[in-house]
Amino acid sequence: MTGFNCTFTDQTVGGLPMVGLNSTWDNSKQANINVPPLSKPWGSYSSTPFRGVSIGGWLALEPFITPSLFSSDSSLVDEYGLCKKLGPKQAAQTLENHYSTFITEDDFKAIADAGLDHVRIPFSYWAVKTFDDDPYVMGVSWRYLLRGIEWARNHGLRVKLDLHGAPGSQNGWNHSGKQGKVDWVSGPDGGVNAKRTLDIHNQLSEFFAQDRYKNIVVLYGLINEPAKSIPEDDLVSWTQKAYKIVHDNGLGAIQVFSESMRGLSAWQGQLTGYGNSLALDVHEYTIFDNGLTGLKHADRIAFACKEWTDQLGAGMSPSTGFGPVIVGEWSQADTDCAKYLNGVGNGARWTGTFSGTTTPYCPTLDQKCSCDMANAAASSFSSEYKLFLQTWAEAQMFVFEKTWGWFYWTWKTESAPLWSYQAGLKGGYLPALAYKRDWDCSKPVPGFGSLPEYY
């Protein structure tokens, strides 16, 4: 706990402990010369979009980000199973070690040094409380969430809080905590779990409405990627209730809700009347859709420049979409090859080994389709592949800055370099400064030499 006031008291706000906090704070830092210090207003995101990165896999585990935590037992597919197998004591020790080593203040410094100005910190409901027979370790990640915010403050980075896992699982995917059925809003206990999530937001928003957080917690995510199977009207109703709770508790951060894999046009005319205090979050990938997975390198870049520009432009217009939009996730991955990306035990669409598929979806649509390059160490990437990766990243940055801003997914991985901003910087296939780039969509797509399309 070096450099961090670790005095524990019985003082709480919203029933949440104020632990590990100094009594004073300093908002004088600025992330870089292009953005204001924390003590000054940012201004309008519509005219000055943010550039950020997610701290994924830290306080909400994902097997593809930290496969070492799951590789000892093929039956372990999520944090629920990991905690259940380890038991309370060992799970607490394992997660404490992960929290304290996977991300440190050096990471926040490096994020600012890379020309980024915002961080998105995903966390799960058991940072606050657990229910029924939950095996999760309760409360430990809360300490690190507060610690991460202070590290962000030290380097002038503004924060988006992101509730990544809700009681019952809002999408049935491993990053929600428990893979399997959706039991949030819809499902046998969906109503109970929806109410539990509102109660958690009541606690969180009361806590983060403190003066300490007003200039740094600027975006507040209500729920990450709720399942498309949940009726839209039910999502709208839940979001209205959540917004009111957060707003009435005095938290002034812009609230953010997910487009729920429905597309931006589905939200035209929904949740109106909130002005710029509510924004829609879309996650942009080309690798989880069989119709886009097999795009050739140049075509993938052209798709971002044309199709995503059109899509996001329509989404930002109240006449055709919702209005305020942020791109909450994107990456440089051009395949779905990373180990455990599609879940433990699932293969890849790229090679035709994904559950339920038999046809390889790389551009050649045959047995040449290979994950060898995508899963290789970044140090072995060819110059042509690095040129593609950087151009692909810069195309996305250019397009996504037509919205209110973007968060790359994610800052750090153990072994998936196309999903790691840190690895991209080290490998030389991301711009050294996010705000200083060589290419944009107004320029011709460069040639990539003899780069094979099936890698």
Side-chain angles (χ1 to χ4, degrees):
M1 303 297 282
T2 303
F4 203 75
N5 185 335
C6 193
T7 301
F8 290 80
T9 75
D10 60 2
Q11 183 179 1
T12 64
V13 176
L16 296 171
M18 298 173 62
V19 297
L21 298 176
N22 297 305
S23 60
T24 60
W25 60 91
D26 178 7
N27 280 341
S28 65
K29 301 295 177 60
Q30 62 185 126
N32 61 68
I33 60 173
N34 300 297
V35 300
L38 296 175
S39 58
K40 301 285 181 65
W42 177 272
S44 170
Y45 283 126
S46 60
S47 58
T48 308
F50 65 84
R51 302 177 176 106
V53 67
S54 293
I55 314 292
W58 182 34
L59 306 182
L61 299 186
E62 289 200 40
F64 98 91
I65 296 176
T66 55
S68 66
L69 291 173
F70 297 87
S71 59
S72 63
D73 185 341
S74 60
S75 70
L76 298 179
V77 299
D78 51 31
E79 190 165 342
Y80 183 97
L82 179 67
C83 292
K84 193 167 184 177
K85 178 184 178 182
L86 294 177
K89 183 176 180 180
Q90 190 177 353
Q93 292 173 342
T94 298
L95 288 174
E96 180 94 40
N97 180 66
H98 166 70
Y99 297 151
S100 64
T101 58
F102 186 64
I103 296 292
T104 69
E105 184 170 1
D106 288 344
D107 292 291
F108 286 80
K109 180 181 184 301
I111 288 168
D113 288 346
L116 300 167
D117 44 61
H118 282 54
V119 291
R120 174 180 179 238
I121 309 181
F123 64 98
S124 301
Y125 73 88
W126 50 93
V128 175
K129 61 173 63 174
T130 53
F131 303 96
D132 305 327
D133 58 351
D134 278 348
Y136 302 116
V137 177
M138 197 277 283
V140 177
S141 59
W142 174 251
R143 292 192 279 113
Y144 287 88
L145 175 61
L146 299 185
R147 199 177 184 189
I149 293 170
E150 297 309 314
W151 285 337
R153 192 193 309 276
N154 289 346
H155 300 283
L157 297 163
R158 289 164 169 83
V159 173
K160 177 182 187 277
L161 296 178
D162 197 86
L163 186 61
H164 224 61
S169 176
Q170 74 276 16
N171 54 32
W173 294 335
N174 59 30
H175 59 244
S176 73
K178 188 176 184 181
Q179 182 175 301
K181 296 179 180 178
V182 176
D183 199 5
W184 182 84
V185 177
S186 61
D189 297 308
V192 172
N193 288 324
K195 176 62 166 59
R196 287 170 168 174
T197 311
L198 293 176
D199 291 342
I200 288 169
H201 278 308
N202 188 40
Q203 290 188 263
L204 290 168
S205 56
E206 185 177 344
F207 187 92
F208 288 112
Q210 296 178 79
D211 286 346
R212 181 184 199 98
Y213 300 106
K214 285 184 176 176
N215 289 29
I216 187 167
V217 175
V218 295
L219 296 164
Y220 184 90
L222 295 172
I223 192 70
N224 178 64
E225 295 183 341
K228 188 177 180 180
S229 61
I230 299 171
E232 185 171 7
D233 287 347
D234 292 343
L235 280 179
V236 168
S237 176
W238 183 87
T239 302
Q240 289 170 330
K241 294 173 185 175
Y243 178 94
K244 185 177 189 307
I245 288 170
V246 174
H247 176 269
D248 288 355
N249 276 338
L251 182 59
I254 295 166
Q255 296 186 50
V256 180
F257 74 102
S258 170
E259 53 86 32
S260 185
M261 286 71 73
R262 284 173 156 80
L264 298 180
S265 62
W267 296 95
Q268 195 278 324
Q270 299 280 22
L271 293 166
T272 59
Y274 295 101
N276 288 338
S277 66
L278 184 65
L280 181 61
D281 179 14
V282 62
H283 299 170
E284 298 285 30
Y285 298 112
T286 59
I287 57 172
F288 300 118
D289 179 334
N290 291 342
L292 301 177
T293 300
L295 288 171
K296 294 181 179 180
H297 293 105
D299 292 341
R300 198 175 302 273
I301 293 167
F303 178 87
C305 289
K306 177 64 170 67
E307 302 303 327
W308 276 345
T309 295
D310 292 347
Q311 176 202 117
L312 292 168
M316 292 282 287
S317 170
S319 63
T320 52
F322 174 75
V325 171
I326 71 169
V327 178
E329 290 186 16
W330 64 279
S331 80
Q332 288 170 278
D334 57 331
T335 76
D336 64 332
C337 284
K339 182 179 181 180
Y340 298 163
L341 176 64
N342 294 310
V344 176
N346 281 331
R349 297 166 184 80
W350 188 259
T351 55
T353 55
F354 180 64
S355 298
T357 65
T358 55
T359 302
Y361 281 96
C362 90
T364 58
L365 302 175
D366 58 22
Q367 297 308 308
K368 288 183 180 179
C369 298
S370 170
C371 286
D372 289 351
M373 183 181 293
N375 288 339
S379 59
S380 69
F381 290 170
S382 67
S383 58
E384 291 86 359
Y385 193 42
K386 287 185 177 182
L387 176 61
F388 161 73
L389 291 173
Q390 179 148 346
T391 308
W392 172 224
E394 292 181 339
Q396 293 180 86
M397 291 174 175
F398 176 79
V399 172
F400 299 157
E401 285 170 21
K402 298 179 184 299
T403 71
W404 278 14
W406 51 260
F407 289 104
Y408 185 101
W409 185 268
T410 182
W411 169 246
K412 180 181 181 182
T413 66
E414 288 181 342
S415 55
L418 302 185
W419 293 88
S420 167
Y421 207 100
Q422 181 191 63
L425 291 170
K426 183 178 180 180
Y429 50 90
L430 271 173
L433 293 170
Y435 55 80
K436 190 175 183 180
R437 306 192 293 262
D438 295 329
W439 191 88
D440 63 48
C441 290
S442 68
K443 300 176 181 178
V445 176
F448 304 119
S450 57
L451 181 64
E453 296 290 355
Y454 49 82
Y455 278 134

